[in-house]
């Protein structure tokens, strides 16, 4: 039973022991689980791995303001609180 916290890099990839770099940008946690399981099976590491992926933190969405404005730059899009 191995549990790891792995951060997705700025380029959208994660680095896993045995598997190396995996591009996960744009994938859901479930899609990442399936990809890791597939890679483990393909590389003959584990035939039936129990893989669980959980999102612990997200930088959120941002938008940029450019041009002749008072304060250009990238700003966070607030998350509505329902």
């Amino acid at each position: 039973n191995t549990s790891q916290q792995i951060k997705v890099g700025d380029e959208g990839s994660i680095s896993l022991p045995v598997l190396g770099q995996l591009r996960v940008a744009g994938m859901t946690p479930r899609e990442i689980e399936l990809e890791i399981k597939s890679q483990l099976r393909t590389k003959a590491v584990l035939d039936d791995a129990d893989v669980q992926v959980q999102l612990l933190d997200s930088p959120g969405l941002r938008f940029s303001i450019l041009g002749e404005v008072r304060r250009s730059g990238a700003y966070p899009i607030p998350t509505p609180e329902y």
Side-chain angles (χ1 to χ4, degrees):
N1 185 11
T2 302
S3 178
Q4 298 180 18
Q5 287 188 14
I6 299 172
K7 184 176 180 179
V8 177
D10 293 336
E11 69 288 343
S13 296
I14 58 173
S15 180
L16 296 172
V18 180
L19 299 181
Q21 294 285 326
L22 291 176
R23 181 137 174 89
V24 297
M27 297 172 75
T28 66
R30 181 68 180 143
E31 291 169 333
I32 297 169
E33 289 172 359
L34 294 172
E35 179 62 22
I36 292 171
K37 287 178 80 159
S38 172
Q39 291 292 323
L40 289 169
R41 200 171 24 257
T42 299
K43 296 189 181 205
V45 177
L46 287 170
D47 285 333
D48 191 26
D50 181 20
V51 177
Q52 296 178 353
V53 174
Q54 188 176 17
L55 180 63
L56 298 178
D57 187 26
S58 173
L61 298 174
R62 300 179 70 79
F63 67 96
S64 296
I65 297 177
L66 305 170
E68 292 186 35
V69 294
R70 192 171 290 183
R71 285 186 55 206
S72 64
Y75 296 91
I77 297 175
T79 304
E81 295 180 25
Y82 296 101

